[in-house]
């Protein structure tokens, strides 16, 4: 499995804008870690992407974080899609090993 790093290149004319941008990135990182810890395991097996996204939205865990609603929604969508992509890759690896064994 490969590591994915997202890098944002931004030019801010005002130092306060850069400060807000860094705070937003930090908050999205915390949100990503929390979602992976809570919904990245076996508890979501058998659920669809939309069901997991609805659970996250219904939990209201990230409503108090100082992030724009669109950024929060899109980040949640990206994180859940990453979780399901990793799951599919793991399933493919397991199936391959099972076929190889038998």
């Amino acid at each position: 499995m490969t590591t994915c790093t997202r890098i944002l290149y931004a030019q801010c004319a005002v130092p306060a804008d850069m400060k807000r941008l860094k705070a937003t990135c930090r908050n999205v990182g915390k949100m990503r870690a929390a979602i992976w810890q809570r919904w990245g395991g076996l508890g979501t097996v058998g659920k669809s992407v939309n069901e997991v996204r609805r659970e996250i939205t219904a939990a209201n865990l990230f409503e108090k974080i100082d992030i724009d609603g669109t950024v929060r929604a899109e980040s949640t969508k990206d994180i859940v899609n990453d979780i399901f992509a990793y799951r599919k890759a793991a399933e493919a690896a397991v199936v391959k090993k099972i076929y190889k064994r038998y």
Side-chain angles (χ1 to χ4, degrees):
M1 199 150 300
T2 61
T3 302
C4 175
T5 303
R6 292 181 176 94
I7 300 173
L8 173 68
Y9 295 99
Q11 293 179 340
C12 297
V14 182
D17 289 342
M18 184 59 83
K19 203 175 197 180
R20 279 196 350 244
L21 180 61
K22 284 182 180 181
T24 299
C25 292
R26 199 174 315 110
N27 287 332
V28 170
K30 289 177 184 176
M31 194 172 108
R32 183 175 191 80
I35 290 174
W36 266 97
Q37 287 173 0
R38 190 163 180 176
W39 285 279
L42 294 175
T44 58
V45 171
K47 295 181 182 176
S48 70
V49 174
N50 290 329
E51 288 173 335
V52 173
R53 284 182 59 201
R54 274 190 235 114
E55 279 183 25
I56 293 169
T57 305
N60 289 330
L61 298 175
F62 310 110
E63 295 299 318
K64 293 182 181 179
I65 294 178
D66 187 26
I67 301 176
D68 180 60
T70 304
V71 173
R72 185 183 308 116
E74 289 299 316
S75 296
T76 302
K77 184 173 84 173
D78 289 343
I79 296 163
V80 172
N81 287 339
D82 287 348
I83 289 170
F84 276 81
Y86 273 77
R87 180 181 299 158
K88 283 295 180 189
E91 286 175 8
V94 168
V95 167
K96 193 175 186 180
K97 288 190 179 196
I98 289 171
Y99 280 130
K100 194 175 188 180
R101 182 182 259 176
Y102 296 102

